[in-house]
Amino acid sequence: MKLWNDLLHLFFPRLCLLCDEPLVEGERTLCLSCLYSLPRTHFHKRPFNPAEQLFAGKTPVTKATSYLYYEKGGKVQQLIYAIKYRGEKEAGFQMGKLAAAELYKEDFFEGIDLIIPVPLHPGRQRRRGYNQAECIARGIASVAQIPVDCRSLVRKRQTNTQTHKNVFERWTNVQDIFHINTPQKLTGKHILLVDDVLTTGATIEACAQRINAIEGAHISILTLSIA
């Protein structure tokens, strides 16, 4: 089997998602050079960091962090685009693992009961074939050993993309689009909401408001990047 894989990689080498250089043994999705050049935020080491500040005075959040800085035209934008639109589910999973491995050492996951990825509308997920937030969440769960719940929180209405909207438009675009299917399952739970990019926080805030309305439930937030 190993011989067959070696031959396969000889003629069809696996390439780094960002620089297109061949990956060597032990590298997954990204080469080490690109991996170490990704701009990490280290927000989890900072009290009241910029991710937490986005939700201050809006909705109760126990803690929040983002793993990478997202800059227009940068490597993280290229990475997120590949995960979101080019079917690179494995990249989402691996980046979730990397983020979780760093946060695990700082006890970020202490007390968290469930991981919930921000849901796509079922129609959009069928067209895309997957939810990128779920891929990231699965990677996180593989390290943190916390179950992923993709059923309790659903998106009941499809919305236009948030990309070109201002802050107010983003907020109104996501009002009342989420629904809790099984509130009893979330009663008293500490839930980690996971998404790919944190921009204004409008989408995650809309999710958090639904969950925070459940008796005893409280929210923490982890995104792969922050813009």
Side-chain angles (χ1 to χ4, degrees), residues 17 48 52 67 75 87 98 105 138 147 154-155 158 161 166-167 170 184 198 201 216 222 226:
L17 200 59
F48 201 50
E52 292 177 351
Y67 183 47
K75 286 186 175 182
L98 287 170
K105 293 181 288 187
R138 299 283 180 194
V154 296
R155 189 182 296 236
Q158 189 160 309
T161 179
N166 62 35
V167 174
R170 285 172 182 259
Q184 67 278 6
L198 180 60
L222 170 56
I226 185 170

Side-chain angles (χ1 to χ4, degrees), residues 2 26 33-35 62 64 77 84 112 123 134 146 197 221 225:
K2 185 178 185 303
S33 177
C34 285
L35 181 61
T62 302
Q77 183 186 37
K84 199 167 184 174
I112 292 173
E134 181 182 345
I146 299 170
V197 183
I221 293 161
S225 63

Side-chain angles (χ1 to χ4, degrees), residues 97-216:
K97 283 183 67 174
L98 287 170
E102 189 166 314
L103 297 174
Y104 191 83
K105 293 181 288 187
E106 305 290 335
D107 295 326
F108 180 85
F109 301 105
E110 187 70 30
I112 292 173
D113 301 299
L114 283 174
I115 298 173
I116 295 183
V118 172
L120 292 177
H121 184 272
R124 181 166 290 172
Q125 183 160 337
R126 281 194 299 270
R127 289 192 296 274
R128 188 174 294 174
Y130 62 98
N131 176 5
Q132 72 279 358
E134 181 182 345
C135 298
I136 297 165
R138 299 283 180 194
I140 294 167
S142 72
V143 173
Q145 295 298 295
I146 299 170
V148 176
D149 179 355
C150 297
R151 295 181 180 274
S152 293
L153 178 68
V154 296
R155 189 182 296 236
K156 62 182 182 180
R157 179 165 55 85
Q158 189 160 309
T159 56
N160 298 324
T161 179
Q162 299 274 70
T163 305
H164 302 295
K165 296 186 184 326
N166 62 35
V167 174
F168 180 73
E169 289 170 336
R170 285 172 182 259
W171 185 80
T172 56
N173 193 44
V174 295
Q175 289 307 293
D176 301 319
I177 68 168
F178 295 104
H179 173 73
I180 303 293
N181 271 335
T182 52
Q184 67 278 6
K185 185 176 179 181
L186 306 184
T187 300
K189 300 295 186 183
H190 185 176
I191 293 147
L192 180 68
L193 278 174
V194 170
D195 208 359
D196 53 352
V197 183
L198 180 60
T199 308
T200 64
T203 301
I204 291 181
E205 182 187 346
C207 294
Q209 286 174 345
R210 290 294 182 189
I211 296 171
N212 280 329
I214 298 169
E215 183 180 358

Side-chain angles (χ1 to χ4, degrees), residues 84-103:
K84 199 167 184 174
Y85 299 115
R86 286 173 43 199
E88 294 289 349
K89 295 184 285 186
E90 175 67 13
F93 183 85
Q94 292 299 327
M95 293 309 300
K97 283 183 67 174
L98 287 170
E102 189 166 314
L103 297 174

